[in-house]
Every structure is written in C-alpha cells, then in structure tokens.
Amino acid sequence: MQNVKRYTVVWLPPLLLIIGYCCRGILVPIAQWAAEHIVMCIFHKTTGLYCLGCGGTRSIMALLHGNIPLAFRNNPLGPALVVLLLLWYIEKSAEALGKPVKLIPRKFAFWMVLLALVFIWNLIRNFVPAMMPVS
C-alpha cells in the first residue's frame, strides 16, 4: 500500500491532464465564459492600475490555446507558474522513484531577487502600453 501512495505523485498528474484534454470541449468554453463574465479585478476597476494577477486568466487561456507569446504578453507569471509546477512534478516523481533531484532553486536570495523583478515588471507595465494585457 505504501508503494501505491508513493507512486501516486507519478501517475496522477498525467492522468488528470489526459482527462482534462479529453474534456477540453467542455472545459475551455466554461473557462472562456468565466473569463469574460465573472472574473474581474477589483483593484484595476477601482484604481485603473494593473495588479500582479491582472491578465493571468487571459494568460492561462492563451496557454490552453497554445499561444505562448500572447500568454507572456498578458501576464508572464502564468507561463512561469506552469514551468515551476512542471519542475516540482519532476522533482517529486524522481523522489518517488528513488532518484531525488533538485531543479527548483532553494536559495532565499534567488526568490527575493525574483520577487523584486516581478514587482518592478508590474510597476513598469502600468505605464508602458506595450506591456499591458491584451483585452
């Protein structure tokens, strides 16, 4: 039973991706409708400025449609999160298979510099129209 739990991290995410791919005809229209009708940023609505998450839904939708340049244009944090989750999955799968590997940086300084760059990017994109999310 312990081996089943240990290997769940290996087989469950690909299985969920396959199910999601098979159901994309249902899931993508629902996500598009939600993006157009439900999701709205209160921060942007009240201040007129973009927050860190503005364009995130459009970014993920662009990724789902395979449009990587548009995903980065809307919000580069979406594709970055996908890459980070993929690296985490590879780390956990290797660990479950008995061959641990570290792909995600663990140093505090790295994450602080990355966080500072994200805040600087967000500040700049509020004043440079070419960096604003595509409506």
Side-chain angles (χ1 to χ4, degrees):
M1 189 67 176
Q2 177 116 7
N3 281 342
V4 172
K5 286 182 182 177
R6 195 172 91 179
Y7 291 117
T8 301
V9 74
V10 176
W11 61 264
L12 187 60
L15 179 66
L16 291 175
L17 284 174
I18 291 168
I19 292 170
Y21 181 77
C22 292
C23 297
R24 73 186 183 282
I26 299 167
L27 296 176
V28 170
I30 291 171
Q32 283 178 332
W33 181 86
E36 293 170 3
H37 294 85
I38 297 174
V39 181
M40 48 180 86
C41 180
I42 294 173
F43 182 80
H44 180 67
K45 201 172 187 178
T46 56
T47 66
L49 298 172
Y50 293 107
C51 71
L52 289 174
C54 281
T57 304
R58 287 172 278 189
S59 177
I60 298 300
M61 290 304 299
L63 280 176
L64 288 173
H65 285 96
N67 193 342
I68 295 171
L70 182 61
F72 272 99
R73 167 81 193 273
N74 282 324
N75 192 335
L77 294 178
L81 182 61
V82 169
V83 169
L84 188 63
L85 287 172
L86 181 63
L87 291 175
W88 177 81
Y89 169 70
I90 293 169
E91 279 187 5
K92 290 300 176 186
S93 295
E95 183 182 313
L97 297 172
K99 299 183 181 199
V101 62
K102 299 292 181 200
L103 300 173
I104 300 172
R106 302 297 199 269
K107 297 209 178 224
F108 182 74
F110 171 81
W111 292 103
M112 288 299 103
V113 168
L114 188 63
L115 186 62
L117 289 173
V118 166
F119 279 111
I120 290 168
W121 161 79
N122 191 60
L123 183 66
I124 292 171
R125 85 169 176 163
N126 277 296
F127 302 104
V128 178
M131 294 178 69
M132 293 177 182
V134 179
S135 296

